[in-house]
Amino acid sequence: MKKHTIIAILCVGLMAASCATVNPGEVGVKQTFGRLNGGIKEPGLIWTGLFSNLITIPTRTINKEVKLNLPSKEGLNVKAEISILYHVQKSKVIDIINEIGLDYERVLILSAFRSASADVCAQFFAKDMHSGRRDVIEQDILRKMQDIIGDRGFVIENVLMKSISLPDGLYSAIEAKLQAEQQAQQMEFVLDREKMEAERKRVEAEGIRDAQKIIKEGITDENIKWRSLEVFQELSNSQNAKIIITNGETPMLINSDASGDTE
């Protein structure tokens, strides 16, 4: 009985040693006596055999944080902490293992990043890394890395500059400049507002002047005579007794019957 139990335990142990697991977000490749064999294994339980082992490579997005000193255009050293987001292409896993090895991150990814970031940052001033041009620098480093890596089986998703430490004294200079720029923008806003108000008053004055000119031009002898005729017509239609003195052009009412009765 004990012999059968021992044999069963050994069998279970051999079966367990002949299996391996590929976790979610990874792929696996079997290796036998130093050679890769079989295709790419998807996540799950994999039968490897007694003389094979399983190499796993993550295909999910990797966030690699790097701290380094970046050169600037004026020759300063800027301390930076940058994140590299990348993932491995599943179809290129076997080529990566054969051509680069399992230490691909150090051998290729970080080497390409250091080269690309140094080349790109050397074209910008230190203040640009701390201001609104940071996104431009990130995109330039990303494109440079893609050019260096090429079609080696890696996809650089993004490059993010998390923190920038400028040399002593440069922060205060940048802050002073930004404050001066804000004051200049505020002054420009005030001047534009005053110009708009002056323009509004000028247009308003022109409108009043034009209205007065139109009224003045409309007061002519012909218009006065025409209005006089209209007044005569209105008086003729009235039932009230009135005494009117006129020179034939402009009537003048000097008396009226308040009772409104006429004989």
Side-chain angles (χ1 to χ4, degrees):
M1 186 67 180
K2 293 182 179 180
K3 183 178 180 180
H4 292 296
T5 303
I6 294 173
I7 293 174
I9 294 173
L10 290 175
C11 290
V12 172
L14 289 173
M15 291 180 63
S18 301
C19 295
T21 302
V22 178
N23 296 318
E26 298 177 343
V27 294
V29 180
K30 290 174 61 175
Q31 184 181 43
T32 305
F33 299 119
R35 299 184 61 181
L36 302 180
N37 58 79
I40 296 173
K41 309 300 181 183
E42 298 290 342
L45 185 63
I46 307 299
W47 175 263
T48 59
L50 292 176
F51 304 104
S52 299
N53 65 299
L54 188 70
I55 299 175
T56 57
I57 299 291
T59 55
R60 59 183 176 272
T61 298
I62 303 296
N63 180 11
K64 182 64 177 179
E65 295 185 356
V66 185
K67 294 181 180 180
L68 72 168
N69 291 328
L70 297 174
S72 66
K73 190 173 183 179
E74 64 265 57
L76 299 175
N77 286 325
V78 179
K79 295 180 180 180
E81 183 178 349
I82 304 177
S83 289
I84 311 167
L85 301 180
Y86 76 94
H87 69 267
V88 176
Q89 291 178 306
K90 184 189 302 182
S91 59
K92 295 283 189 177
V93 166
I94 294 178
D95 293 336
I96 290 172
I97 296 173
N98 285 327
E99 298 173 5
I100 305 173
L102 299 178
D103 196 16
Y104 54 82
E105 187 175 82
R106 180 186 63 82
V107 173
L108 187 61
I109 301 297
L110 293 180
S111 296
F113 167 71
R114 289 189 175 92
S115 175
S117 58
D119 290 345
V120 170
C121 291
Q123 302 173 19
F124 292 87
F125 292 105
K127 63 182 181 62
D128 296 332
M129 304 179 197
H130 189 263
S131 62
R133 304 204 66 187
R134 180 181 295 193
D135 57 337
V136 177
I137 298 174
E138 292 172 346
Q139 292 302 312
D140 287 350
I141 294 175
L142 175 62
R143 285 190 290 268
K144 190 74 172 180
M145 287 187 68
Q146 291 172 337
D147 292 340
I148 295 174
I149 292 175
D151 189 20
R152 302 297 298 274
F154 302 95
V155 176
I156 308 300
E157 300 176 9
N158 214 338
V159 174
L160 304 174
M161 303 181 73
K162 299 180 62 177
S163 64
I164 299 294
S165 298
L166 299 178
D168 296 339
L170 191 56
Y171 270 120
S172 57
I174 292 176
E175 290 177 356
K177 182 178 179 181
L178 291 176
Q179 185 177 4
E181 291 176 352
Q182 291 175 355
Q183 292 176 349
Q185 291 176 356
Q186 183 178 5
M187 182 59 67
E188 184 177 355
F189 171 78
V190 172
L191 291 176
D192 289 341
R193 185 182 62 185
E194 294 298 330
K195 289 179 181 178
M196 292 176 64
E197 179 65 17
E199 180 66 16
R200 185 192 67 80
K201 291 181 178 179
R202 185 187 65 81
V203 172
E204 182 180 6
E206 288 182 353
I208 295 174
R209 182 198 63 191
D210 293 342
Q212 291 176 347
K213 182 179 180 181
I214 292 172
I215 294 173
K216 183 178 180 181
E217 291 176 351
I219 302 176
T220 60
D221 294 339
E222 288 76 8
N223 287 338
I224 293 175
K225 291 179 181 179
W226 177 258
R227 290 296 300 162
S228 297
L229 292 174
E230 290 180 344
V231 171
F232 276 125
Q233 184 177 2
E234 292 176 359
L235 290 174
S236 66
N237 294 329
S238 174
Q239 297 180 359
N240 296 331
K242 302 173 179 65
I243 299 175
I244 301 173
I245 299 175
T246 179
N247 59 2
E249 295 180 353
T250 57
M252 179 179 295
L253 180 65
I254 61 173
N255 189 22
S256 64
D257 187 358
S259 65
D261 296 331
T262 58
E263 297 296 336

